[in-house]
Every structure is written in structure tokens, then in C-alpha cells.
Amino acid sequence: MYADRSDCTPFLVSACGSGPPGTPAVRPPVATPAPTTTVGLRLPLNVYLPTVGEQATGEYLVYRVQQHCMRGYGVRYLPHLSSDYIGTTVATWREYESRRYGISERTIAARRGYHLGEKPSETRAPQVSTALSVPEREVLSGRAPDGRRMTTPVQNQDVPDGGCAGLAERTVHGDRTAKAQRGYDLVARLRGEAFDRSRSDPRVAAVNRKWSSCMRGKGFTYRDPDAAIEDPRWNLLSARPSRAEVAVATADIA
């Protein structure tokens, strides 16, 4: 596959043979995994993305730089932000990822229905930018309400390009932010396409039919797990699930 093995990149190293130059690697077939749970699910395409811990840490650091920058302009921003944000965000993302094919944790379903698990009571959400005044949002974004770049000093200081938000992105992620984002967007698109193809797989369709039949036996009519989660009766943004939602989610898990 490669005339010169020095061409091998970290992401392509598994394709590099150990034989003579120009000899393609011969790899034995790998059996399709048969996981017993989707908790901790890690898809092959995930190797091209930061881990959830890396993503959460990067997001926290961006918020920290924004906070420090805004303080320099006399703005108290993100007053509740702490390093606890990392752990809470990781837990939420991992649970969300585990639901790629539907809910998978019986204890959460029994308490929360289709809602995500409860966050620790001491965790407080960071302040959102919409809570800021118009002048404060201008400092954060570096843009006036009409979209033009900020050129008027604030607190006798020039506002950085892109505001405190732009400064934070450059500080944490460097100058490769745009390229990295294009890469992440590509992986997200490929993941979505792979998921859509999997839904049309005859084996998946057969399992969904069995699931739907089982649910009918419990008094609930849904074509597949997604239809149960997306039932318009559920308000997944509410603090607590309804009894009906918990009943359906519990049957779903069973």
C-alpha cells in the first residue's frame, strides 16, 4: 500500500505492512463485536475525535479564558464555573452516547424515564451569554449589534478580534481551530450516515419488529425505540418525568 513506510501517519499506521516495500498488509478478518451493553460504547470513527474527557476539559478551559478576559473589562462572567464542570459534562456526554440505539440503563429508566440522569445537586450551570447586557455581549463576541467588528475601546482597552470568545478559542486551541472543526464536522457527518445505513440493515429491522411486538404485549404501540423516546407526550426538558413516561421507558428496557 505504501512504497515507503515513512509515509505512514498515526491514523493510517494499521494499514502499513511489515513485509517488503510495496507489499500490502494481510490482516485476518475481524468478527463483528456483540456488545451486551451500550454503556461506554466507542465507535470506530471515534478514534478521529478527542475523547469526551479531552472535549470537556477543552470546553472548560475556553470558559476560563473567557471569564478572565471579561473580568478585564469589568464584567463578572460565568460566576458558577468550577472544575466540577468537566466531570459533570463527561458524565452527561457518556450517557448521551450510550443512547445512540435507545436507552440502556434500567435504574435510570425506572427513576427518570427517558430523561437524562440527574446531575449532582451541588452542580450549577454556568451563566449563559444571553444573561449578559448588550454591551457585555459585544465584549464577549467582539461584534456590535449590527454585526460589525468592535473598534471602540472598552474600559480604555481595545477588544480583541472575535472578542473574549475569539481570544479564548485561539488561546486554548491555537490557530488550527477552523481546520479541526472541519475535521470534526466530517466525522459527525460520517457517523450520521453510518447510523442511517444501519437502520436499513435487515438485521436491525428484524430486531425492531421484535421489540415493537414485545411492547404491544405490554400495552404500548411504537414502531421502534426512537418513536418511544420521541413521543410528543414527554417533555424531556422538564425537571421530572411523568408516570406514563417512566412506565414506557421501563417496558422499553425490559
Side-chain angles (χ1 to χ4, degrees), residues 81 159-160:
L81 180 66
V159 176

Side-chain angles (χ1 to χ4, degrees), residues 32-84:
T32 300
T36 58
T37 177
T38 55
V39 177
L41 178 69
R42 187 148 178 84
L43 302 172
L45 281 170
N46 285 15
V47 300
Y48 297 102
L49 293 172
T51 66
V52 291
E54 291 167 343
Q55 293 181 63
T57 300
E59 192 171 291
Y60 168 74
L61 292 174
V62 166
Y63 280 146
R64 272 296 184 206
V65 177
Q66 288 180 2
Q67 184 185 59
H68 179 76
C69 175
M70 294 289 280
R71 187 181 300 129
Y73 294 95
V75 181
R76 186 169 180 262
Y77 183 55
L78 302 174
H80 307 310
L81 180 66
S82 75
S83 58
D84 291 342

Side-chain angles (χ1 to χ4, degrees), residues 1-46:
M1 184 173 293
Y2 292 92
D4 180 353
R5 294 189 68 218
S6 65
D7 290 339
C8 299
T9 65
F11 286 150
L12 298 177
V13 69
S14 62
C16 301
S18 57
T23 303
V26 178
R27 303 177 64 189
V30 178
T32 300
T36 58
T37 177
T38 55
V39 177
L41 178 69
R42 187 148 178 84
L43 302 172
L45 281 170
N46 285 15

